[in-house]
């Protein structure tokens, strides 16, 4: 492995020590590996892909009092210290800034392939069995209800509403997770998303069956 990537891994592991289990080093490792897998099928700058995957959640605003620029600052300082070229730093920061689901309304239309790859990888880790586990872990972390038969999902929330939303964990499936399959950018991402999507549907069917004891 190249020196810059191994230094970045050490930096991220240290920074994310003690993070919520859905946004910890293991999430980053899965996204990094998925990004490399998708990158094999696309013509892209692999260094930009790997650095962005590794740094994309270095300071998630939802765990830092809503601060949306901290991740950029931390990443920029780190990459400058590693003597990474300005051209690469600019591309990585652009990806970190625009990768998020909640920012999708604000992102420019014409996205670089490196962003599309890391975004697909991050979205794949939000769905399927891992996605289900992460979502319930986050719901527990926030002390949200798992499910309430009388609280319907809120579709088409604005970014502000999405951030404030205190709905149930099951509603998060309808508000985000089940929408991701059709938002995948790359062919490889779409292919990998389908199986994970079907698994979530099966999980929900089973969940309601067990909830509604007759
Ligand atoms: P992004 O980091 O792409 O903006 P989110 O902020 O939606 O995405 O969060 C990433 C992951 O955190 C989700 O895929 C989910 O597992 C979990 N999560 C976020 N918001 C909620 C929520 N309201 N209820 C349950 N899980 C959530
Ligand atoms: Ni992520």
């Amino acid at each position: 492995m190249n020196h810059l990537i191994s230094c970045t891994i050490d930096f991220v592991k240290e920074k994310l020590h003690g993070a919520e289990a859905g946004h910890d080093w293991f999430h980053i490792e899965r996204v990094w590996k998925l990004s490399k897998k998708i990158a094999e099928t696309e013509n892209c700058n692999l260094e930009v892909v790997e650095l962005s995957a590794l740094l994309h959640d270095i300071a998630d605003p939802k765990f830092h009092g809503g601060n949306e620029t901290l991740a950029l600052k931390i990443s920029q300082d780190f990459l400058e210290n590693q003597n990474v070229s300005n051209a690469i730093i600019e591309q990585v920061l652009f990806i970190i800034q625009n990768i998020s689901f909640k920012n999708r309304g604000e992102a420019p239309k014409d996205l670089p392939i490196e962003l599309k790859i890391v975004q697909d990888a991050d979205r794949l880790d939000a769905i399927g069995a891992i996605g289900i586990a992460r979502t319930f872990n986050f719901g527990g972390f926030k002390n949200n209800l798992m499910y309430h038969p009388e609280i319907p999902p809120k579709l088409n929330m604005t970014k502000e509403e999405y951030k404030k939303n205190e709905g149930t964990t099951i509603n998060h499936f309808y508000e985000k997770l089940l929408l991701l399959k059709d938002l995948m950018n790359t062919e490889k991402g779409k292919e990998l998303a389908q199986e994970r999507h079907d698994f979530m549907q099966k999980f929900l069917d089973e969940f309601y069956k067990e909830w509604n004891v007759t």
Side-chain angles (χ1 to χ4, degrees):
M1 195 192 305
N2 93 32
H3 180 69
L4 173 60
I5 297 300
S6 68
C7 287
T8 309
I9 289 172
D10 291 344
F11 176 73
V12 174
K13 275 188 186 166
E14 194 207 303
K15 274 270 171 213
L16 291 181
H17 185 79
E20 180 265 321
H23 293 83
D24 61 356
W25 158 251
F26 294 111
H27 162 63
I28 304 303
E29 187 179 40
R30 291 188 301 269
V31 171
W32 173 52
K33 289 183 177 170
L34 282 165
S35 296
K36 287 196 287 182
K37 203 185 182 75
I38 299 171
E40 282 170 16
T41 67
E42 302 286 339
N43 190 356
C44 63
N45 181 327
L46 189 60
E47 185 168 61
V48 171
V49 168
E50 291 195 57
L51 290 173
S52 308
L54 290 168
L55 291 165
H56 84 276
D57 274 335
I58 197 72
D60 189 319
K62 58 183 167 308
F63 304 117
H64 291 86
N67 187 333
E68 296 196 7
T69 53
L70 187 60
L72 299 173
K73 172 90 180 82
I74 294 174
S75 300
Q76 183 171 10
D77 290 351
F78 169 76
L79 294 169
E80 281 174 358
N81 271 326
Q82 299 291 320
N83 294 314
V84 174
S85 74
N86 282 337
I88 300 273
I89 295 181
E90 233 174 77
Q91 292 176 69
V92 172
L93 297 185
F94 180 83
I95 293 175
I96 296 173
Q97 191 168 17
N98 290 291
I99 191 176
S100 170
F101 178 77
K102 67 183 169 311
N103 291 341
R104 68 196 181 288
E106 294 167 7
K109 285 276 161 294
D110 216 0
L111 298 172
I113 183 65
E114 291 79 10
L115 188 155
K116 291 181 177 175
I117 292 169
V118 182
Q119 189 171 59
D120 277 7
D122 196 30
R123 287 174 172 176
L124 283 167
D125 204 57
I127 61 177
I130 295 276
I132 295 170
R134 290 180 70 212
T135 301
F136 279 95
N137 195 74
F138 187 86
F141 180 79
K142 301 283 273 185
N143 201 22
N144 289 344
L145 288 174
M146 288 200 295
Y147 175 58
H148 193 300
E150 273 139 43
I151 304 178
K154 290 191 201 156
L155 302 178
N156 305 315
M157 280 182 276
T158 63
K159 176 177 169 183
E160 289 315 310
E161 287 166 339
Y162 182 83
K163 285 196 294 188
K164 282 204 306 273
N165 188 25
E166 287 180 354
T168 70
T169 300
I170 286 289
N171 280 349
H172 193 66
F173 285 74
Y174 301 93
E175 290 160 353
K176 175 182 177 190
L177 309 187
L178 293 169
L179 310 178
L180 294 179
K181 173 177 73 71
D182 293 329
L183 293 173
M184 301 304 286
N185 304 301
T186 65
E187 285 310 309
K188 187 73 186 168
K190 285 180 195 161
E191 182 194 317
L192 295 170
Q194 187 66 54
E195 196 180 329
R196 293 175 185 225
H197 181 87
D198 295 344
F199 186 79
M200 289 194 296
Q201 282 289 4
K202 261 194 248 153
F203 167 79
L204 289 169
D205 292 346
E206 194 63 26
F207 186 96
Y208 297 128
K209 202 168 94 190
E210 293 177 16
W211 186 280
N212 295 307
V213 177
T214 50

